[in-house]
Amino acid sequence: MSVSVVLFTADLRLHDHPPLRAALEGRRQVVPLFVRDRAVAAAGFAVPNRLAFLADCLRDLDAGLRERGGHLVVRSGDVVDEVCKVAAEADADEVHMAADASAYAHRRERRLRRALEAEGRRLYVHDSVTTAVGPGEVTPASSDHFAVFTPYFRQWTGQRLRDVLAAPRSVRVPPGVGSEELPSRAAVPEVSPGLAEGGERAGRQRLTAWFRCGLAAYEDRHDDLAGDATSRLSPHLHFGTLSPVELVHRARLVGGPGAEAFVRQVAWRDFHRQVLAARPTAAHADYRPKNDRWRSERTARNDIEAWREGRTGYPVVDAAMRQLLHEGWMHNRARLLTASFLAKTLYVDWRIGARHFLELLVDGDLANNQLNWQWVAGTGTDTRPNRVLNPVTQGKRHDPDGGYVRRWVPELAQLPGAAVHEPWKLRGPDRARIGAYPDPIVGLADGLARFQRARNRG
């Protein structure tokens, strides 16, 4: 019986998995392989929250494979070297994996293809595994990618998605291929105390519950900070424990404004991948430079630390940053307003904020994170690059009763209603009740004026 290797990367699931399905064709034996890539650690991406969530995912994937007669093989080192070693040990003639958008993923694919071909083996790379629509499938007539979301979304919506694939009933693994011990969440230090559980089983449970109770209201409530009405599926999309193709199919079957709004968010995720695939430098360089002379980590050290620690004196910003520290996750609206506060109100280089998010976010995705930061900073795909999100206005609009702030900023828990968004207005005994909660580190008018001068609009 012939043997294939399936290299799992950001697709840690059994349901709707095209590489696994292709590898199993013709009743092949399959080696399900995950390589703990030393290059990821060297680049600083192997951070505690994602390592802990990854450990959950790998253990759950192994459990699912064992239910089907197989098991997961885990190795550590250089991906190309380890895949070639496993292919040789199993006498495999082909390797299957999912396509990805980053420059590193493209280099890895090219290296792996050359190494396998030198040994007489073939590499098959499958699209629409980590995206609903692949980065190169939707392009304008005059360019290699869309730079604005709305025209991209129009074409994206018209694409016919592939069918959803069932999980395999049986997975036969050839003998003699050794594996390292599976990693454990308990062995990872400095994990956020409220970090969610990882793995396909947890992801599918979350998906089912949210589609039943949250999807219909998503259009109306997705910006409701206190209501926590988003899907919280982003970590599962990042690690691939859920399929974006399946999510879109299932949402469209339900239908309605909530489902349409949710599908639009999946499209935003694909949009950022097609931008990054076409412009890999956007991960670290301005997509549309504005000749900014950002305040650096040295010149803005105190402001940056106050922002990171959730003590800026702007309650909704501080609530969001403390949620990030506790959960390794943050509400999407909160991500936008905290990023705007750093990049525009404090006029700090967006890369400093993007790096901090990647250090903590369990869904810390290079394309989404960097390009959302660029969108907010006005150096990316936003058609209104000079917009500034006012944290007081945003707080009153998206947390009108102050429930989100009171949940994460206990110093303000005794303040009623919308008063929680402007504690600096309190006087006497009322001000004393909030103890050491700081005054704002910058006036909003001062921050706006600085930004406008920097962009030559003042």
Side-chain angles (χ1 to χ4, degrees):
M1 181 177 287
S2 55
V3 179
S4 298
V5 173
V6 177
L7 176 62
F8 287 87
T9 54
D11 51 349
L12 303 178
R13 64 181 185 268
L14 297 178
H15 291 81
D16 195 40
H17 198 285
L20 181 58
R21 171 61 68 89
L24 288 168
E25 284 182 2
R27 299 185 179 275
R28 284 175 171 263
Q29 290 183 316
V30 171
V31 181
L33 172 66
F34 181 84
V35 179
R36 292 191 284 190
D37 187 354
R38 69 185 180 201
V40 172
F45 290 110
V47 298
N49 286 339
R50 291 198 293 280
L51 288 176
F53 199 91
L54 172 63
D56 290 348
C57 294
L58 295 179
R59 285 181 171 270
D60 184 73
L61 179 59
D62 180 67
L65 288 165
R66 289 183 184 278
E67 289 171 1
R68 292 161 173 83
H71 64 274
L72 182 65
V73 173
V74 176
R75 298 287 181 91
S76 298
D78 176 78
V79 172
V80 173
D81 290 345
E82 295 304 319
V83 171
C84 288
K85 288 177 187 176
V86 168
E89 291 170 22
D91 195 23
D93 58 353
E94 58 188 47
V95 174
H96 295 260
M97 66 180 295
D100 204 347
S102 71
Y104 170 70
H106 290 161
R107 291 194 301 271
R108 177 183 63 193
E109 178 187 324
R110 290 192 295 269
R111 288 180 56 226
L112 182 56
R113 190 180 301 280
R114 287 196 298 268
L116 290 170
E117 287 178 350
E119 298 175 353
R121 312 182 205 279
R122 296 192 65 180
L123 174 66
Y124 295 90
V125 179
H126 300 261
D127 291 321
S128 300
V129 181
T130 62
T131 58
V133 175
E137 294 181 35
V138 176
T139 55
S142 58
S143 177
D144 57 354
H145 75 290
F146 280 95
V148 178
F149 176 73
T150 300
Y152 170 83
F153 183 56
R154 281 196 293 267
Q155 286 207 28
W156 185 95
T157 302
Q159 295 295 300
R160 185 188 182 279
L161 302 186
R162 62 171 179 77
D163 294 335
V164 176
L165 304 174
R169 294 181 178 179
S170 173
V171 177
R172 299 180 60 187
V173 179
V177 180
S179 175
E180 298 172 3
E181 184 178 349
L182 290 169
S184 167
R185 173 190 282 233
V188 182
E190 300 180 5
V191 175
S192 291
L195 185 71
E197 179 186 0
E200 182 176 14
R201 194 159 306 177
R204 296 190 74 80
Q205 288 172 351
R206 174 73 192 176
L207 169 64
T208 299
W210 190 74
F211 265 48
R212 183 175 63 247
C213 301
L215 181 64
Y218 182 70
E219 168 67 3
D220 297 327
R221 299 191 61 212
H222 68 276
D223 280 330
D224 179 358
L225 289 167
D228 196 16
T230 62
S231 71
R232 286 184 175 256
L233 296 176
S234 54
H236 295 284
L237 282 168
H238 174 67
F239 285 91
T241 56
L242 291 176
S243 157
V245 170
E246 182 180 1
L247 294 191
V248 173
H249 274 300
R250 289 182 61 170
R252 285 174 172 170
L253 281 175
V254 175
E260 292 171 6
F262 177 71
V263 168
R264 186 179 178 89
Q265 293 305 309
V266 178
W268 265 107
R269 183 174 178 272
D270 283 3
F271 171 73
H272 286 148
R273 275 164 173 70
Q274 61 96 36
V275 173
L276 188 64
R279 299 290 182 271
T281 57
H284 54 81
D286 290 347
Y287 180 75
R288 289 174 173 158
K290 299 297 179 185
N291 300 313
D292 285 296
R293 295 186 178 182
W294 303 105
R295 298 170 72 206
S296 69
E297 200 138 21
R298 180 180 60 82
T299 59
R301 180 180 295 109
N302 291 338
D303 285 352
I304 294 167
E305 284 306 305
W307 177 81
R308 285 172 175 159
E309 295 170 7
R311 49 179 182 83
T312 67
Y314 289 98
V316 75
V317 173
D318 294 342
M321 297 306 294
R322 294 183 194 190
Q323 180 183 27
L324 175 61
L325 287 167
H326 183 79
E327 294 189 349
W329 184 88
M330 190 194 293
H331 190 289
N332 184 59
R333 171 55 55 176
R335 299 186 197 206
L336 296 178
L337 66 92
T338 53
S340 176
F341 186 82
L342 184 76
K344 289 179 172 172
T345 303
L346 297 180
Y347 199 57
V348 168
D349 193 329
W350 65 265
R351 282 158 281 249
I352 294 171
R355 185 174 70 244
H356 180 69
F357 272 28
L358 284 177
E359 288 170 355
L360 287 169
L361 283 172
V362 65
D363 60 8
D365 177 279
L366 191 67
N368 264 1
N369 188 68
Q370 307 303 88
L371 290 169
N372 271 321
W373 267 95
Q374 290 225 48
W375 187 92
V376 172
T379 61
T381 63
D382 187 7
T383 55
R384 293 172 52 198
N386 294 312
R387 82 172 84 203
V388 177
L389 299 180
N390 182 307
V392 177
T393 303
Q394 290 282 306
K396 291 180 176 179
R397 180 179 301 155
H398 301 300
D399 186 28
D401 296 324
Y404 180 72
V405 167
R406 281 187 289 274
R407 183 182 308 154
W408 293 108
V409 187
E411 305 98 302
L412 307 180
Q414 302 304 313
L415 298 185
V420 79
H421 294 297
E422 297 174 292
W424 56 87
K425 291 185 175 182
L426 298 173
R427 296 292 181 267
D430 290 333
R431 180 65 180 85
R433 286 164 60 194
I434 65 175
Y437 186 74
D439 287 329
I441 60 175
V442 64
L444 294 181
D446 294 336
L448 179 61
R450 175 172 53 197
F451 172 70
Q452 290 179 335
R453 286 195 303 271
R455 289 278 170 95
N456 297 315
R457 298 178 70 246

